[in-house]
């Protein structure tokens, strides 16, 4: 990788540059308060659920903590405990609304201390904490996350389930004061009626029925109240690429798009974008589970990258999101780490084939050459064209086939997926198709003689990047090899000099781990990757790419600190489609085409890789 950025020598920077982070840094005060909220919430829950615990030594500690309440106020104890647990994560992330809710909740705890427990010491501690929160109110300035009203459904399902489980514990936590021996069904019925504020079939002595009834009613009221709040609060939709943003990005790509093979994927319409103050650079991102995830290098003039990165970090800080970058190049990694002080880790390698050097001759290409020749003898032919050159009817047929040949309903792809095939917006993209005429007397398929397709997006003025591979399951194995070879052979006529294939995660580890003299740690790591390949095709994707003798360009993930890696990993899996919410909780996007994936399908028995993701 060249060390020059637009004619000026770039600064060589270690991956963990000791410089001040311009984006969000975890604050000690919010973290401490969030942890305290978890502890106090659990103590309140336990004291509300188990009568014996309310008279134990642990309760002697709980009664002087903010929010602890009298054992006679079990319902208030449950509600305060659940609310504190719900608020704890928001307080740790410096969310303004969590701070407001905590400040409103603490006086309730103070009233419980004075009215029920007559604990002046507990009330004083609650007042001190309330004053501490007000004094440090500027620490809690993070804006709300993007959201949809589907969270109200999730809240109702989850909190309703939790309420039912806690209700079963409440009903059964007074075994010596229950009249008779009610069955499990009767207890469950009592809980369900109690959540709606009615008496159930279970009877108690010594006034316990009031405590149980108030507790169940409070749980039901909490579920209804929080669900109503989430359903009727103003909606903050997730960031989406506007027409104006897309136009500005296309102008930047026209000037600087040849720098990064992932640049064109910034035009996915489910991404947000921040521009540098000069407008000469931009960073595209998605927010997933509190992680502000950018992909690839910034778009535009390298000299303007720092301005776009700073805006990205400011946006992350404003919302208290965790900043991260996945799939950036070595040059991009150097700029990111230099400007933010974040760390970088090699994630894998991108396979790039130089058209001028590609040939089917030689021993190394023997398997690919034989497979292509065999398929051609079976009557298959290929066509490679720009998307704008396809007739509307044929393009519509290709689009329908691509959807029909997807083997699951899960749409995958983020870093290297565009999510559409559009002759108007993306006319410079390239489509390679494989065709086979039906045998004599055989009815043509639903898509005529079309058997497989591949979609490549532009990479600057003389390159393309593979975005999608799909095939008819009835077609011969080897369709992907056939179409990649066809695209490489047709590239000179289309004035294409380089083709970016797939991204192979941890390729170097797989390659070094199988060499003679590899150490035990590397061998164990390679063994783990091979084991994971049963589900994620890590090794198979690397071997498939390696068939075409590409050059490998390293790609990196940039992160704030090691503690964020698991969270970033989960967000990345969710972005790429490997980890998703249940179907009922997913927000529909009626106005947008479904995103196609860069890696799709599975590994065939003959060893041919059908893109995974």
């Amino acid at each position: 990788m060249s060390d020059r950025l637009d004619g000026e020598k770039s600064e060589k920077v270690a991956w963990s540059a000791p410089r001040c982070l311009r984006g969000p840094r975890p604050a000690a005060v919010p973290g401490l308060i969030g942890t305290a909220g978890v502890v106090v919430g659990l103590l309140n829950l336990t004291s509300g659920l188990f009568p014996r615990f309310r008279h134990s030594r642990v309760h002697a500690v709980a009664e002087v903590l903010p929010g602890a309440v009298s054992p006679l106020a079990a319902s208030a104890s449950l509600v305060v405990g659940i609310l504190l647990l719900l608020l704890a994560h928001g307080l740790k992330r410096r969310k303004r609304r969590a701070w407001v809710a905590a400040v409103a909740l603490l006086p309730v705890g103070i009233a419980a201390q004075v009215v029920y427990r007559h604990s002046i010491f507990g009330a004083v501690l609650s007042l001190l904490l309330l004053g501490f929160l007000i004094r440090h109110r500027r620490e809690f300035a993070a804006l709300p996350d993007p959201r949809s009203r589907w969270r109200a459904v999730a809240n109702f399902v989850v909190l309703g389930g939790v309420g039912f489980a806690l209700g079963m514990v409440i009903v059964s936590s007074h075994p010596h004061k229950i009249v008779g021996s009610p069955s499990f069904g009767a207890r469950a019925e009592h809980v369900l009626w109690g959540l709606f504020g009615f008496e159930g079939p279970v009877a108690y002595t010594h006034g316990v029925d009031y405590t149980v009834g108030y507790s169940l009613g409070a749980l039901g009221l909490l579920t209804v109240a929080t669900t109503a709040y989430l359903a009727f609060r103003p909606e903050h939709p997730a960031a989406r690429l506007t027409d104006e943003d897309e136009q500005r990005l296309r102008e930047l790509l026209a000037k600087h798009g040849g720098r990064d093979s992932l640049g064109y994927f910034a035009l996915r319409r489910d991404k947000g974008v921040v521009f540098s103050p000069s407008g000469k650079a931009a960073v595209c991102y998605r927010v997933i589970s509190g992680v502000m995830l950018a992909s690839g290098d910034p778009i535009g003039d390298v000299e303007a990258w720092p301005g776009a990165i700073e805006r990205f970090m400011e946006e992350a800080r404003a919302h208290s999101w965790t900043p991260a970058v996945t799939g950036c190049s070595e040059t991009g990694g150097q700029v990111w780490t230099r400007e933010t002080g974040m760390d970088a880790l090699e994630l894998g390698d991108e396979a790039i084939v130089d058209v001028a050097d590609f040939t089917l001759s030689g021993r190394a290409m023997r398997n690919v050459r034989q497979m292509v020749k065999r398929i051609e003898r079976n009557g298959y032919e290929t066509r490679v064209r720009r998307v704008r050159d396809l007739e509307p009817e044929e393009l519509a047929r290709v689009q329908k086939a691509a959807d029909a040949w997807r083997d699951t309903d899960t749409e995958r792809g983020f870093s290297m997926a565009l999510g559409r095939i559009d002759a108007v917006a993306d006319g410079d993209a390239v489509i390679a198709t494989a065709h086979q005429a039906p045998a004599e007397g055989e009815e043509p398929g639903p898509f005529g003689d079309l058997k497989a397709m591949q979609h490549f997006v532009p990479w600057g003025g003389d390159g393309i990047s593979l975005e999608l591979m799909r095939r008819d399951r009835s077609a011969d194995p080897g369709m992907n090899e056939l179409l990649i070879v066809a695209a490489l052979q047709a590239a000179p006529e289309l004035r294409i000099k380089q083709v970016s294939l797939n991204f192979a995660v941890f390729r170097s580890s797989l390659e070094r781990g199988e060499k003679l003299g590899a150490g035990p740690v590397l061998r164990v790591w390679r063994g783990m990757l091979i084991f994971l390949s049963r589900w994620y095709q890590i090794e198979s994707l690397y071997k498939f790419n390696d068939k075409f003798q590409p050059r490998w360009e390293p790609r990196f993930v940039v992160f704030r600190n090691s503690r964020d890696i698991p969270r970033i990993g989960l967000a990345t899996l969710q972005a790429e489609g490997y980890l998703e919410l249940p179907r009922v909780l997913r927000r529909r996007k009626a106005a947008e085409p479904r995103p196609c994936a860069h890696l799709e399908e599975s590994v065939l028995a003959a060893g041919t890789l059908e893109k995974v993701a």
Side-chain angles (χ1 to χ4, degrees), residues 25-301:
R25 182 182 295 276
V29 172
L32 179 63
I33 293 177
T35 303
V38 172
V39 174
V40 176
L42 290 175
L43 288 174
N44 276 276
L45 273 178
T46 310
S47 66
L49 290 172
F50 304 104
R52 293 180 181 178
F53 177 79
R54 293 199 298 271
H55 300 285
S56 67
R57 293 182 179 180
V58 180
H59 184 64
V61 178
E63 69 173 353
V64 298
L65 292 175
V69 294
S70 168
L72 296 178
S75 58
S77 180
L78 289 171
V79 171
V80 169
I82 292 175
L83 288 176
L84 286 174
L85 289 175
L86 293 175
L87 293 173
H89 182 63
L91 291 173
K92 287 183 178 180
R93 295 183 59 202
R94 303 181 298 107
K95 292 297 183 180
R96 183 69 179 179
R97 290 189 176 180
W99 177 87
V100 171
V103 169
L105 184 63
L106 277 172
V108 178
I110 295 172
Q113 294 287 348
V114 175
V115 175
Y116 295 108
R117 296 295 297 179
H118 307 290
S119 175
I120 303 301
F121 182 59
V124 170
L125 283 183
S126 298
L127 283 171
L128 289 176
L129 181 57
L130 181 60
F132 190 73
L133 278 171
I134 295 174
R135 179 183 177 184
H136 293 277
R137 60 187 178 276
R138 293 183 180 178
E139 294 282 347
F140 300 88
L143 301 175
D145 291 340
R147 59 178 179 262
S148 73
R149 291 190 175 91
W150 281 109
R151 292 196 178 185
V153 179
N155 179 83
F156 181 79
V157 173
V158 174
L159 202 54
V162 171
F164 179 81
L166 292 178
M168 291 296 293
V169 175
I170 293 171
V171 169
S172 305
S173 62
H174 306 271
H176 302 296
K177 298 179 182 179
I178 297 179
V179 178
S181 299
S183 64
F184 177 85
R187 295 174 190 240
E189 182 181 352
H190 190 88
V191 171
L192 290 175
W193 281 112
L195 291 174
F196 288 96
F198 299 101
E199 287 290 335
V202 180
Y204 297 87
T205 61
H206 299 87
V208 174
D209 52 341
Y210 290 103
T211 302
V212 173
Y214 290 151
S215 299
L216 293 176
L219 287 174
L221 181 62
L222 178 63
T223 301
V224 172
T226 55
T227 301
Y229 167 74
L230 292 172
F232 295 106
R233 65 179 176 172
E235 187 175 14
H236 289 236
R240 290 291 184 269
L241 207 63
T242 66
D243 292 340
E244 181 183 356
D245 292 337
E246 183 175 345
Q247 182 59 37
R248 294 177 66 183
L249 286 174
R250 288 184 181 277
E251 292 174 0
L252 293 177
L253 288 171
K255 297 178 181 178
H256 308 281
R259 183 177 296 281
D260 185 13
S261 62
L262 306 189
Y264 203 84
F265 298 113
L267 298 177
R268 278 181 64 107
R269 288 167 185 155
D270 60 354
K271 289 185 177 182
V273 60
V274 290
F275 290 90
S276 65
S278 65
K280 295 182 179 179
V283 175
C284 295
Y285 66 92
R286 279 181 63 188
V287 179
I288 300 172
S289 300
V291 177
M292 190 175 182
L293 190 64
S295 61
D297 293 343
I299 308 299
D301 188 350

Side-chain angles (χ1 to χ4, degrees), residues 479-502:
M479 289 290 104
N480 288 332
E481 287 89 340
L482 174 68
L483 289 179
I484 288 177
V485 169
L488 290 168
Q489 290 177 337
E493 297 181 5
L494 299 175
R495 298 181 180 179
I496 294 170
K497 297 181 179 178
Q498 51 188 352
V499 177
S500 170
L501 300 180
N502 299 316

